[in-house]
């Protein structure tokens, strides 16, 4: 990769990685899971997993990108050749690209809903509306494939425009404007929630330390959230790592990304639940919290329409910063492999993801039931695509940990980490043993079963295969 494709400032990778990590999951999934799973106990498990698994794996994925200075697919091809390992390790790049492509296809549809709500809020359409009206409004959106396709198209086209403009003019400039603006908006919404809502109830809901409420499923959800929130295993971190300055510290940057990502989730939780409790509403689940409960809270509060509109602009910004990181791994591969221009590569990636996204659009209406997906897998097309990402991402993360832990030499890692022997040994132990064990545990316990046992069996087979590869590598690696 040519030298000009490096971030112009050492801190830009931090912005890019945080932008990739901070998305819809931080703004509603994390706060909801925390409240439902013992509050502080959930956060403790999450924090421990972030430290013991998330940060070492984030370092590993960034390291592979920075060492190869190429897109995830071409980078892994380069690394397998230079390290004389099995070409099967190239699957890391392909799994990341497949995950990014599939996630972008449905992420764009869901993010498109925020466009709809930004418009509804800023025009004052929901001022004074009751729960039934807002619920009916959300149902009407889901029932309209035409409207959902319009928003899906607008959102993905906007993301494509940023990536198509290039590393510096597009992604870097976009992130430098977007990320500080997002943090500022989040603080504004938090202050608004403190003034008009019930901060005490929100803090109690999120941070009461009740270990008894944390079931095994809660532990698994905390661990799973810590992997997925850092964008591990979808190629984005490896692609961004390829543009990272050699002088920037991998360890400090990874810790900063994890800290900022978690802080955003905590602040979002306090802001959202202050409003929810202040309005005397129930804490909804999933999309219902953001698209039904929150609009209801805003509808009765002073300046609620304006702040609600601003909040959904925050949601849109967080979604865009994540979606550009999903476009980049595949676009970078097309540029490198087929010598395309960046706009050509981005167009191909985005048009294909847009077309795939139409399956998600119709999953909520025309194809809500009785399709081939329901017949074969007992789930909608959207649920099936999401299931595939739940397989590819942890599997990709697992293989990244094994490759970085076993294939890279000590001198190579020491040079990249730029640290002392103690941290090197700690990192290598975590990435060789703790990370793969934790990911495998969550992967096999939480994966939804198709036909009873096929997917867990397949997962176990792949994990055993990956471990066998690592043992072969161990013999070959000094």
């Amino acid at each position: 990769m040519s030298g000009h494709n490096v971030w112009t400032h050492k801190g830009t990778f931090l912005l890019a990685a945080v932008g990739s990590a901070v998305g819809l999951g931080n703004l509603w999934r994390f706060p909801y899971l925390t409240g439902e799973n013992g509050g502080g106990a959930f956060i403790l498990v999450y924090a421990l997993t972030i430290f013991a698994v998330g940060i070492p794996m984030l370092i590993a994925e960034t390291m592979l990108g920075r060492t190869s200075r190429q897109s995830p697919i071409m980078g892994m091809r380069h690394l397998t050749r230079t390290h004389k390992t099995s070409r099967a390790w190239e699957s890391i790049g392909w799994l990341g690209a497949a995950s990014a492509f599939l996630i972008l296809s449905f992420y764009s549809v869901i993010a498109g809903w925020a466009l709809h709500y930004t418009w509804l809020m800023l025009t004052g359409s929901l001022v004074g509306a009751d729960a039934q009206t807002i619920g009916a409004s959300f149902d009407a959106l889901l029932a309209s494939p035409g409207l959902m396709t319009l928003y899906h198209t607008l959102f993905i086209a906007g993301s494509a425009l940023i990536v198509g403009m290039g590393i510096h003019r597009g992604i870097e400039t976009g992130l430098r404007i977007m990320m500080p603006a997002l943090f500022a908006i989040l603080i504004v919404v938090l202050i608004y929630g403190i003034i008009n809502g019930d901060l005490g109830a929100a803090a109690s809901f999120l941070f009461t330390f009740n270990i008894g409420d944390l079931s095994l499923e809660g532990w698994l959800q905390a661990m799973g959230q810590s992997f997925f929130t850092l964008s591990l295993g979808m190629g984005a971190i490896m692609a961004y790592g390829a543009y990272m300055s050699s002088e920037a510290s991998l360890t400090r940057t990874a810790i900063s990304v994890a800290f900022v990502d978690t802080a955003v989730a905590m602040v979002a939780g306090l802001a959202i639940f202050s409003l929810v409790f202040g309005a005397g509403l129930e804490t909804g689940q999933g999309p219902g919290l953001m698209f039904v409960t929150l609009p209801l809270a805003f509808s009765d509060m002073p300046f609620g329409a304006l702040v609600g509109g601003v909040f959904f602009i925050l949601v849109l910004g967080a979604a865009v910063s994540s979606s550009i990181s999903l476009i980049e791994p595949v676009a970078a591969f097309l540029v490198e492999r087929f010598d395309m221009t960046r706009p050509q590569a981005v167009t191909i990636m985005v048009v294909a993801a847009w077309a795939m996204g139409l399956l998600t659009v119709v999953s909520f209406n025309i194809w809500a039931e009785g399709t081939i997906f329901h017949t074969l897998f007992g789930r909608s097309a959207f649920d099936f695509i999401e299931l595939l990402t739940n397989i590819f991402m942890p599997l990709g993360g697992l293989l990244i940990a094994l490759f970085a832990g076993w294939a890279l030499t000590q001198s190579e890692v020491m040079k990249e980490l730029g640290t002392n022997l103690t941290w090197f040994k700690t990192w290598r132990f975590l990435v060789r043993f703790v990370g793969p064990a934790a990911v495998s545990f969550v992967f096999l316990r939480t994966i939804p079963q198709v036909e009873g046992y096929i997917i867990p069996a397949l997962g176990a087979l792949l994990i055993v295969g990956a471990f066998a590869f690592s043992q072969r590598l161990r013999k070959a690696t000094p």
Side-chain angles (χ1 to χ4, degrees):
M1 181 169 287
S2 54
H4 71 273
N5 273 336
V6 174
W7 302 119
T8 53
H9 187 269
K10 281 199 294 190
T12 307
F13 174 81
L14 174 61
L15 272 186
V18 168
S20 177
V22 171
L24 299 178
N26 294 67
L27 298 181
W28 57 258
R29 190 170 184 267
F30 179 84
Y32 173 76
L33 288 176
T34 303
E36 286 299 293
N37 289 290
F42 178 90
I43 290 171
L44 179 65
V45 174
Y46 169 87
L48 287 172
T49 314
I50 284 274
F51 177 76
V53 181
I55 290 173
M57 287 176 68
L58 184 61
I59 291 170
E61 188 166 343
T62 312
M63 190 185 294
L64 295 183
R66 191 164 78 172
T67 306
S68 68
R69 292 282 180 213
Q70 289 175 290
S71 66
I73 294 171
M74 299 302 288
M76 286 311 303
R77 186 169 295 177
H78 168 74
L79 289 173
T80 53
R81 284 175 184 163
T82 54
H83 290 76
K84 296 183 172 55
T85 60
S86 165
R87 285 197 63 181
W89 290 105
E90 286 181 29
S91 60
I92 288 173
W94 289 103
L95 280 168
S99 297
F101 174 76
L102 291 172
I103 292 167
L104 179 65
S105 77
F106 66 76
Y107 197 88
S108 174
V109 177
I110 309 297
W113 298 350
L115 269 172
H116 181 67
Y117 276 86
T118 304
W119 174 252
L120 287 182
M121 281 289 173
L122 291 178
T123 56
S125 303
L126 299 178
V127 173
D130 59 15
Q132 195 174 356
T133 309
I134 290 176
S137 167
F138 184 54
D139 292 340
L141 171 64
L142 296 187
S144 171
L147 204 54
M148 283 175 68
T149 302
L150 171 65
Y151 293 133
H152 167 46
T153 307
L154 290 172
F155 179 84
I156 208 166
S159 303
L161 197 63
I162 295 171
V163 184
M165 286 168 69
I167 306 299
H168 301 308
R169 212 154 55 92
I171 298 176
E172 200 162 351
T173 306
L175 288 167
R176 281 188 178 169
I177 297 166
M178 247 187 317
M179 297 315 293
L182 293 185
F183 297 143
I185 291 173
L186 190 55
I187 296 302
V188 168
V189 176
L190 175 64
I191 293 168
Y192 179 83
I194 291 169
I195 295 167
N196 294 291
D198 189 341
L199 182 68
S204 172
F205 180 67
L206 287 173
F207 304 125
T208 302
F209 192 91
N210 190 350
I211 201 79
D213 287 350
L214 193 63
S215 62
L216 175 60
E217 292 307 312
W219 274 77
L220 291 167
Q221 285 183 321
M223 292 169 74
Q225 178 72 8
S226 67
F227 306 149
F228 296 128
T229 191
L230 294 177
S231 298
L232 299 172
M234 61 172 79
I237 297 298
M238 206 186 296
Y240 282 167
Y243 312 131
M244 187 182 187
S245 160
S246 300
E247 284 80 54
S249 164
L250 285 175
T251 304
R252 277 201 301 273
T253 305
I255 291 169
S256 301
V257 170
F259 176 78
V260 175
D261 180 62
T262 304
V264 167
M266 300 286 188
V267 173
L270 284 172
I272 288 167
F273 287 115
S274 290
L275 295 170
V276 170
F277 285 118
L281 300 170
E282 289 297 311
T283 53
Q285 183 176 2
L289 175 64
M290 182 171 286
F291 298 108
V292 178
T293 311
L294 265 184
L296 191 56
F298 283 124
S299 73
D300 281 338
M301 291 185 175
F303 306 106
L306 177 62
V307 179
V310 169
F311 174 78
F312 281 105
I313 290 171
L314 161 70
V315 174
L316 269 176
V320 168
S321 68
S322 294
S323 68
I324 60 177
S325 74
L326 296 170
I327 297 171
E328 181 60 25
V330 179
F333 164 69
L334 294 174
V335 168
E336 289 170 12
R337 179 69 180 81
F338 301 106
D339 205 24
M340 292 181 180
T341 65
R342 179 166 272 270
Q344 286 172 335
V346 170
T347 302
I348 288 172
M349 161 62 170
V350 164
V351 169
W354 175 86
M356 172 72 81
L358 296 180
L359 286 175
T360 295
V361 169
V362 295
S363 293
F364 290 98
N365 36 71
I366 302 167
W367 284 10
E369 52 192 34
T371 66
I372 187 169
F373 291 96
H374 287 92
T375 308
L376 289 176
F377 306 107
R379 64 193 71 232
S380 69
F382 164 59
D383 289 335
F384 180 67
I385 294 168
E386 195 179 26
L387 169 68
L388 288 178
T389 65
N390 286 339
I391 297 169
F392 293 165
M393 277 179 63
L395 190 56
L398 174 72
L399 293 174
I400 285 167
L402 291 172
F403 187 86
W406 296 98
L408 300 183
T409 61
Q410 177 171 336
S411 58
E412 199 173 10
V413 174
M414 287 286 282
K415 177 172 169 260
E416 284 293 330
L417 281 179
T419 186
N420 56 48
L421 194 61
T422 306
W423 172 236
F424 163 75
K425 286 181 174 175
T426 306
W427 173 82
R428 192 147 80 163
F429 172 75
L430 291 171
V431 92
R432 278 182 166 184
F433 302 108
V434 179
V439 174
S440 304
F441 177 58
V442 173
F443 178 53
L444 292 175
R445 279 284 296 136
T446 60
I447 204 94
Q449 294 187 358
V450 175
E451 297 299 326
Y453 57 87
I454 293 174
I455 284 182
L458 179 65
L461 192 65
L462 289 166
I463 287 164
V464 169
F467 188 72
F469 273 135
S470 76
Q471 292 307 299
R472 284 177 57 192
L473 282 172
R474 190 181 183 187
K475 290 171 188 170
T477 305

